[in-house]
Amino acid sequence: LTAAAAALDVTDVAADHALRPHLRSSIIQLDMTNPLSLTQAVAPVENTTGVTNYVIDIMGPDGKDVAAHIFFFDSMDTCLGVPGWGCVYPDTVAWYSRTVDALAEKHGRKLPSIGFYHIPLDEMMGLLDGYSISGNRTEDICCGSVNTGLYAAMVAAGNMKFISAGHDHNND
């Protein structure tokens, strides 16, 4: 058995719009009942949009020192009222920047990190222009309706070594 963590997206709450906020929290609360779940519900004081914006520490070989971080971002099912796909909201981008700084202060340096979210960032489309890629591309890249600056924040922070999106299921 393997531990796992979740981040929500647009498809996790494909139900009556009025029920969506309740469903998002219910899905995460249910996931967290699994003893192998590493999913964390966002504390209300974080002031972020979504329920799965959190960070998990990865311990080093000694099991005592934090060696890296995994960031999870809730891609939401809407994007600032703009029709189309969801996005990581600006308040969550600000949370990410604050959290990177706080973790760097706590650990004495910025630790390498990886990030997971569902809806691809606009900048991912740029990878197809002028860069060699491998894998299968059998559908268009469907980015968030608004570029909220998450990629720019990651570049500015300098800690992200890998990012992954899951929305375009037929692309790998």
Side-chain angles (χ1 to χ4, degrees), residues 7-29:
L8 292 181
D9 74 304
V10 64
T11 60
D12 293 314
V13 290
D16 185 323
H17 186 72
L19 297 175
R20 286 180 180 176
H22 174 71
L23 288 174
R24 296 179 78 76
S25 295
S26 296
I27 290 168
I28 292 306
Q29 293 305 318

Side-chain angles (χ1 to χ4, degrees), residues 88-166:
V88 175
Y89 271 58
D91 57 4
T92 302
V93 175
W95 163 82
Y96 163 73
S97 297
R98 288 191 312 270
T99 302
V100 168
D101 290 343
L103 290 171
E105 186 173 322
K106 176 179 177 181
H107 300 295
R109 63 186 173 96
K110 287 184 181 175
L111 296 175
S113 300
I114 61 176
F116 293 97
Y117 44 85
H118 192 75
I119 305 295
L121 304 177
D122 289 354
E123 290 82 358
M124 289 182 151
M125 287 192 298
L127 292 174
L128 299 175
D129 300 326
Y131 290 94
S132 175
I133 60 170
S134 62
N136 298 305
R137 180 179 179 223
T138 59
E139 64 182 310
D140 290 337
I141 296 175
C142 300
C143 300
S145 302
V146 175
N147 185 336
T148 59
L150 180 58
Y151 183 79
M154 290 176 176
V155 170
N159 67 318
M160 280 293 171
K161 305 302 179 196
F162 173 84
I163 54 177
S164 180

